[in-house]
Amino acid sequence: MSETTNFIHEIIDGDLASGKRTEIVTRFPPEPNGYLHIGHAKAICLDFGTAMKYHGKCHLRFDDTNPTAEDVEYVDAIKDDVRWLGFDWGENLFWASSYFDKMYDYAIDLIKLGKAYVCDLSVEDFKAYRGVPTEPGKEPAGRQRTVEENLELFAQMKSGDFEDGAYVLRARIDMTSPNLHLRDPAIYRIKHAEHHTTGNTWCIYPMYDFAHCIEDSIEGITHSLCTLEFEVHRPLYNWILETLGATQPQQIEFARLNLTYTVMSKRKLLELVNEKLVNGWDDPRLPTLCGMRRRGYPAESIRNFCAEIGVTKTESVSDVALLEHHVRDILNENAPRRMAVLDPLKVVITNYDENLVETFELPNHPQKEEMGTRTVPFTREIFIERDDYLEDANRKYKRFTIGREVRLRGVYLATCNEAIKDAAGNIIELHCTIDPESKGGSAPDGRKVKGTIHWVSASEGVEASVNLYDRLFKEENPAAEDGDYKELLNPESLKTINGIVEPAAIAGAGTTYQFERIGYFCTDKNTTPETPILNRTAGLRDSWKG
Ligand code: ATP
Ligand code: MG
């Protein structure tokens, strides 16, 4: 894995040099309320990559403090995705919910210190008390409660005496702070809901800001890396740990990843899935990691993309074309070559024996002998791409037209003699002859044949269902547009066609090939040998160079 550096690593270098830290511990803290997307990949590469660089540890911690949105389905998917991306948390798997007892004790500590109180204002009413940054807020009456009263009320909150929303526990900080997050933020709320790990043990749950810093502190995290929107929460993060006298990780914020032609918010992704605007979380058009995996994006290409965009404090939108560039980069090296015809036109080789099936050993990769060969059958009837024939071709056209000789990839030189048309004038079949002396694709007399086209045997080839994917959205930045982002979906983002592929292109799910002159295709999870299903991963950089 390529090693990178960034402003966070410079901070860490300083901490190690000064002796402030001797071991580096980071964490990736997903909330199990959705599938991971490429934005999370940036955080994963940074969190795990930093730990690897400094021979430290990276914890995978499920931030499961909100019982209503979370589900074990997501837990398993998140683990699969992190592993697939190439990272390993080893023994360091943690759950925020396993700290609920400690968090409750910490809340009691705050109450005893006079630094937390039970407040009966509704969310709306409190907003009015809190006010705006430019003017001081108003103190809620609950602030005047004694420690004993607060302890009593908080115990009652815990034992289920109150309805959801009747009370919250607030940190007692500063109702005049220009930072609204420090104006007595809620740290515990009542929520009568079953939790996926703690069941019905609790009916009060800690708020994110209270829970997260405590989780980091308990685990001995040294550098807590998060996205920029948490910068304004940092004073609260530090206040809680300082007030409790707990060990202090350092929170450092970086810019989140945004990508063109897609949306990344979990809420929107969930909507697209639930409203069946896409085919599940692993729809190959989605920016989810499982979607990209199903599409055929190699994990390495995602890591390389993350390394290239780097880690900064400046918000930006990355071009999805850069991601695709990295996908091609890896696949061009690694994907075995095959032949497929997506818009078939039949060709009859009139001077070739009807019953003959000749087999040819063609290389899996033009530059990499070590990748071996595969067997390709050739027969009297083959398919070529419809646009590899042109009736009125000029001299520059190097594919089939009447009288022109073309190389059929790897097998013979062939000359097109006749185009058969139906009553409406559509070309339905070409009649060609091969030069039997040109076996392998070159003539014994050394004559030059410039054009090479791909083909598939009509009788030996296999029909496949091919999903051609395009951008999910028509607009470059659908999330930024006014109005409903769903109106900006690209109606042509999925086109399914039937193609015909050479027998050696039938493979297990997840196998990616380069179909010569067409692009990269990955075998779908629902494929069968009888009905192969292929997903277009990416086009070629320079397609159709005949
Ligand atoms: P939400 O805020 O909608 O729940 P989230 O994407 O922030 O969604 P988390 O599960 O909290 O979900 O994210 C886990 C980690 O991934 C967090 O540390 C978060 O900062 C990071 N992360 C999430 N989205 C991005 C992104 N687009 N770019 C970089 N990091 C991200
Ligand atoms: Mg979040």
Side-chain angles (χ1 to χ4, degrees):
M1 234 163 272
S2 62
E3 209 156 83
T4 54
T5 190
N6 54 51
F7 76 97
I8 295 174
H9 293 173
E10 283 166 19
I11 294 173
I12 293 176
D13 289 338
D15 290 347
L16 290 170
S18 72
K20 179 179 173 190
R21 309 283 181 192
T22 50
E23 194 201 5
I24 301 306
V25 188
T26 60
R27 87 287 172 266
F28 173 63
E31 188 182 348
N33 64 352
Y35 282 66
L36 298 183
H37 51 60
I38 179 103
H40 293 113
K42 175 176 178 174
I44 294 169
C45 289
L46 177 62
D47 294 326
F48 281 92
T50 299
M52 283 164 79
K53 176 172 173 176
Y54 292 97
H55 306 288
K57 286 189 294 194
C58 180
H59 296 184
L60 174 62
R61 182 205 308 143
F62 286 100
D63 210 344
D64 55 347
T65 53
N66 178 6
T68 46
E70 296 161 5
D71 204 305
V72 278
E73 173 198 348
Y74 300 130
V75 170
D76 295 336
I78 289 170
K79 286 184 187 167
D80 287 349
D81 286 346
V82 174
R83 266 193 226 108
W84 174 73
L85 249 197
F87 298 102
D88 181 9
W89 54 89
E91 297 172 340
N92 302 303
L93 176 66
F94 298 94
W95 302 87
S97 57
S98 68
Y99 311 134
F100 280 165
D101 285 318
K102 286 186 187 162
M103 289 177 190
Y104 180 76
D105 291 343
Y106 273 134
I108 301 233
D109 288 349
L110 281 187
I111 295 174
K112 288 182 177 162
L113 289 165
K115 296 292 185 185
Y117 64 93
V118 175
C119 174
D120 41 20
L121 291 176
S122 68
V123 173
E124 278 311 303
D125 287 346
F126 182 74
K127 262 192 197 148
Y129 274 69
R130 191 174 61 173
V132 293
T134 47
E135 290 165 34
K138 225 167 75 180
E139 300 205 343
R143 257 191 167 237
Q144 307 309 324
R145 279 191 238 280
T146 63
V147 169
E148 287 65 36
E149 283 171 327
N150 282 317
L151 287 175
E152 174 67 26
L153 275 172
F154 190 48
Q156 283 181 285
M157 281 170 65
K158 180 182 183 244
S159 54
D161 293 359
F162 307 123
E163 301 279 291
D164 287 7
Y167 290 98
V168 294
L169 185 70
R170 293 192 177 283
R172 192 175 200 276
I173 310 179
D174 181 2
M175 288 304 290
T176 68
S177 171
N179 181 342
L180 292 185
H181 295 283
L182 292 179
R183 292 193 183 179
D184 292 10
I187 57 174
Y188 258 97
R189 62 178 161 172
I190 302 170
K191 197 156 200 167
H192 291 271
E194 187 169 311
H195 188 280
H196 74 110
T197 62
T198 58
N200 290 306
T201 310
W202 295 90
C203 64
I204 55 171
Y205 290 94
M207 304 298 285
Y208 176 87
D209 280 324
F210 183 65
H212 202 85
C213 57
I214 291 176
E215 295 156 23
D216 283 348
S217 178
I218 289 173
E219 291 177 17
I221 303 300
T222 56
H223 298 84
S224 176
L225 314 179
C226 61
T227 38
L228 278 182
E229 68 271 22
F230 291 103
E231 194 164 19
V232 286
H233 297 243
R234 187 176 356 120
L236 176 56
Y237 183 106
N238 291 338
W239 181 91
I240 293 168
L241 295 180
E242 260 163 41
T243 308
L244 291 170
T247 55
Q248 292 251 17
Q250 179 178 0
Q251 177 181 306
I252 308 172
E253 308 84 16
F254 62 93
R256 61 195 302 119
L257 169 70
N258 301 296
L259 202 58
T260 53
Y261 297 102
T262 194
V263 293
M264 211 94 89
S265 118
K266 274 189 205 162
R267 180 182 63 79
K268 288 178 183 162
L269 293 174
L270 188 62
E271 259 172 31
L272 292 174
V273 171
N274 285 345
E275 293 173 29
K276 303 213 181 325
L277 297 166
V278 295
N279 304 317
W281 281 101
D282 62 352
D283 187 301
R285 291 167 292 181
L286 287 178
T288 51
L289 294 182
C290 53
M292 291 184 170
R293 178 160 72 235
R294 191 171 171 193
R295 176 94 176 240
Y297 285 13
E300 188 181 1
S301 66
I302 295 176
R303 294 196 302 267
N304 290 351
F305 166 72
C306 290
E308 175 158 358
I309 56 169
V311 177
T312 67
K313 271 196 174 284
T314 317
E315 287 288 359
S316 65
V317 182
S318 297
D319 192 340
V320 69
L322 182 65
L323 174 61
E324 291 163 352
H325 159 81
H326 282 284
V327 169
R328 285 195 196 97
D329 220 40
I330 300 293
L331 293 179
N332 184 39
E333 286 290 309
N334 300 344
R337 273 46 173 178
R338 294 290 183 267
M339 291 194 284
V341 174
L342 300 189
D343 185 13
L345 173 63
K346 186 176 272 187
V347 175
V348 181
I349 314 289
T350 53
N351 64 340
Y352 198 80
D353 186 338
E354 213 170 325
N355 300 314
L356 193 58
V357 179
E358 246 184 313
T359 55
F360 291 78
E361 289 298 307
L362 299 195
N364 283 326
H365 194 290
Q367 282 94 39
K368 293 186 163 181
E369 218 177 303
E370 67 275 17
M371 283 177 68
T373 61
R374 88 275 190 188
T375 305
V376 185
F378 181 73
T379 50
R380 175 182 162 94
E381 295 196 351
I382 61 173
F383 287 112
I384 64 165
E385 298 290 346
R386 192 158 277 280
D387 65 1
D388 278 338
Y389 174 82
L390 200 59
E391 193 153 42
D392 302 310
N394 62 21
R395 281 193 17 233
K396 283 191 185 148
Y397 188 76
K398 298 192 188 71
R399 302 172 245 160
F400 275 137
T401 189
I402 302 297
R404 193 152 302 170
E405 191 171 44
V406 163
R407 178 177 301 99
L408 295 173
R409 164 65 89 203
V411 286
Y412 288 106
L413 299 175
T415 304
C416 182
N417 306 309
E418 193 184 357
I420 314 295
K421 295 180 180 176
D422 65 11
N426 302 309
I427 295 165
I428 48 167
E429 198 171 288
L430 299 180
H431 286 184
C432 299
T433 43
I434 53 156
D435 175 355
E437 302 295 309
S438 66
K439 204 164 175 176
S442 51
D445 63 4
R447 69 180 182 275
K448 289 247 177 317
V449 173
K450 284 204 179 136
T452 300
I453 65 170
H454 61 274
W455 55 274
V456 173
S457 157
S459 55
E460 305 296 309
V462 183
E463 201 172 291
S465 172
V466 182
N467 295 315
L468 301 175
Y469 295 108
D470 197 352
R471 309 248 189 270
L472 184 54
F473 287 91
K474 292 181 287 189
E475 298 292 326
E476 197 168 289
N477 195 351
E481 304 284 329
D482 292 336
D484 187 1
Y485 70 96
K486 282 178 267 181
E487 312 254 304
L488 304 173
L489 282 165
N490 174 9
E492 320 236 295
S493 61
L494 169 59
K495 212 170 108 191
T496 301
I497 60 165
N498 284 324
I500 181 141
V501 302
E502 63 167 277
I506 305 307
T511 312
T512 306
Y513 291 120
Q514 184 198 88
F515 289 150
E516 290 198 47
R517 301 172 68 230
I518 302 180
Y520 298 96
F521 289 77
C522 181
T523 306
D524 189 69
K525 66 175 186 185
N526 294 326
T527 198
T528 64
E530 297 72 36
T531 319
I533 304 175
L534 296 160
N535 297 325
R536 179 163 69 190
T537 310
L540 295 175
R541 201 183 312 262
D542 39 7
S543 50
W544 299 118
K545 52 171 182 203

